Structure formats: structure tokens, C-alpha cells
Amino acid sequence: MVTPGAKREAVAHAREHHGVSERRACALVGVSRRVIRYEPTRPDDGALRQRLRELASERRRFGYRRLGYLLAREAITPNHKKLLRIYREEGLRVRRRGGRKRALGTRRPMVLPDGPNQRWSLDFVSDSLICGRRFRILCVVDDYTRECLALVADTSLSGARVARELTGLMGMRGKPMQNGFVESFNGRLRDECLNETLFTSLAHARFVLAAWRHDYNTVRPHSKLGGKTPAEIAGQRVWGHAPRHVAIPSNNHHEGARLYL
């Protein structure tokens, strides 16, 4: 019995089953009568709990910290300890998925760029349609702003196709150095989009990827960016545009999918 609640229960049990007075029961348990008589004055958190449940149902792969960023945008700013407590009391959690093996050993830390369009990362991710046909996705990310610059989906992505897509990006954004440091983004893409959606066709996959890319860039808070979005960071440094909101399809079917720009 280390918590006040446990001691209150022990005192109540002693009084009810052994007929001792409150003073005697408190002496036996070793707790002050003031603690036993204390009535919590915690404010009603009903609205916070309801909104937290709604956001968690919309963003099933977000933990309590990222949900806290979304709440802060709505002027709901509970203490992080309180937010974690309510998150656990509501039974909310992110189901862990099995990860793949990674290389062991010491690696030299990568030097981060100090501005947008200085270095991009690119890589490929594969997935399949519900008919079993495989397709690939070319992912291009700005290492500074964390902005997703391109998500190109097709059944085949040749070297010429990749060069053409990068040439188009260079014409709009500049010509940064290229590297393969995009594993973190790939994990987010697969965890929050690919694993959550059953693709009915290549056109459906392109639609969902475009919606998710817009949401990733303009709505989804990033911990490394202090809860801001890549569009906010890129806008402050380059374009200055305001982020727009998008609704990701909540079901696993193309029917009923809606995109709001």
C-alpha cells in the first residue's frame, strides 16, 4: 500500500469488516486522516478525452506525443504527463509491427543540411494490388524540411523514368546532392499508408499516395520539426505558402474515398 488510493481502500475495508473507528484504522494503516478525507478536485476532462479518442481513431499509427501536436493546433494543450495518463486510461496504443533486421556496427553520423534543396534522399518501396500484381513507388524526400517531393507509383520504374522524374523536380526545386538516406520516410509510408490500405488498382494507389503525400507535407506534425509540418518549414524558408488540409480515406476501399484540398 504505497498510493493514497490503496490506503483509502485499506481504511475502508478495516472499518467495514472489523468495525474499527476511522482514527484507529488510519493508525493501523499508517496514513493521515486528512489523506483519507481528501476529495479530488480534478477538472472534468471529458472534452479532452473525446477529442483524443477521435484523433486516435483517425490516426491509428500516431502515438500520444504526435496526437498532442494535433491537439495543440486546436488550442488544447494539456501537460504531457496528463496527456500520457489519459492516453493510457482510454486504452489507446499503437500496435507494434514486426521490424526487419538491420545492419550492426558503428556508423559515422550524417551531416544534416542547413537549408532546403541542398540534399534529397530517394529510394524505392514495393507493394501489391488486391489482385496480387506488384507495383513500385519512387520516394523523394528533402532532408532538411522532411518534405515529400515525389511519390511516383508504377508497375515498372526504369532508370530513364527515374531520371525523367528527377529532372522535373530539379527544374522546379533546384539540383541538390542525392543520397539514399530515406529509410525513416519509407517506414512511415508503409506503416501509415501502405499497410492501412488495400489497393484496387494502380489508379487507386496513385490517388491514395497523392492524398497521403499532401497530408504528410501539410498536416502531419513532425517531432524533429518541433511539431510543425514540412510545408511550414519550407514555406518559411522558400515559398511562404500556408498549409492546406486533406482527409485521408479511412476505409480500405476506393469507393467513398474523398480528397479535400
Side-chain angles (χ1 to χ4, degrees):
M1 297 181 296
V2 295
T3 64
K7 293 180 179 179
R8 291 192 189 99
E9 293 178 0
V11 170
H13 178 81
R15 297 188 63 188
E16 180 179 354
H17 293 83
H18 300 284
V20 299
S21 65
E22 180 186 86
R23 186 187 301 275
R24 177 61 175 166
C26 290
L28 292 173
V29 176
V31 62
S32 171
R33 296 173 66 190
R34 180 182 301 177
V35 174
I36 299 302
R37 295 181 178 181
Y38 173 76
E39 294 183 2
T41 57
R42 182 175 295 170
D44 181 24
D45 298 320
L48 172 60
R49 291 175 181 271
Q50 176 64 24
R51 187 55 182 150
L52 185 62
R53 288 195 299 267
E54 292 174 356
L55 289 174
S57 64
E58 296 171 3
R59 308 278 183 165
R60 299 192 303 173
R61 305 305 300 172
F62 281 15
Y64 83 97
R65 292 185 183 276
R66 206 176 301 276
L67 292 174
Y69 289 134
L70 296 178
L71 290 173
R73 295 179 184 176
E74 303 176 8
I76 305 176
T77 56
N79 180 277
H80 71 280
K81 295 181 180 179
K82 177 179 180 180
L83 180 62
L84 177 59
R85 174 177 58 80
I86 295 177
Y87 182 86
R88 289 174 173 173
E89 290 175 355
E90 293 297 320
L92 303 176
R93 62 187 296 269
V94 178
R95 182 173 60 87
R96 293 185 179 275
R97 289 192 174 118
R100 61 186 179 86
K101 295 182 179 180
R102 299 185 179 274
L104 301 177
T106 303
R107 298 182 179 180
R108 185 177 60 182
M110 179 175 290
V111 179
L112 296 177
D114 56 6
N117 292 322
Q118 293 185 7
R119 189 178 69 203
W120 296 345
S121 296
L122 59 96
D123 201 0
F124 297 91
V125 178
S126 63
D127 204 37
S128 61
L129 307 177
I130 58 175
C131 63
R133 187 178 185 184
R134 304 289 297 179
F135 67 94
R136 304 186 73 194
I137 306 168
L138 170 64
C139 309
V140 184
V141 182
D142 188 296
D143 287 0
Y144 176 76
T145 65
R146 309 300 174 92
E147 184 181 11
C148 176
L149 304 180
L151 283 177
V152 183
D154 213 330
T155 54
S156 177
L157 291 171
S158 63
R161 175 70 182 280
V162 173
R164 186 167 68 249
E165 295 291 342
L166 291 177
T167 300
L169 283 177
M170 292 174 186
M172 294 185 297
R173 303 289 184 121
K175 188 176 181 181
M177 297 173 58
Q178 301 173 19
N179 67 84
F181 187 68
V182 70
E183 294 297 327
S184 177
F185 173 81
N186 288 350
R188 299 291 183 270
L189 172 63
R190 185 167 297 281
D191 185 51
E192 298 176 15
C193 180
L194 302 184
N195 289 344
E196 294 289 301
T197 311
L198 295 176
F199 298 109
T200 59
S201 64
L202 188 58
H204 179 211
R206 288 169 176 166
F207 173 86
V208 173
L209 287 172
W212 187 85
R213 174 174 172 258
H214 190 282
D215 182 81
Y216 180 89
N217 287 336
T218 63
V219 180
R220 183 186 186 276
H222 288 244
S223 301
K224 294 296 184 179
L225 302 179
K228 296 183 179 180
T229 65
E232 290 178 291
I233 300 298
Q236 292 172 2
R237 298 296 297 263
V238 185
W239 301 284
H241 56 76
R244 298 176 295 171
H245 293 270
V246 65
I248 297 297
S250 58
N251 55 15
N252 286 335
H253 303 283
H254 186 44
E255 296 79 2
R258 295 293 184 268
L259 178 65
Y260 301 96
L261 299 178

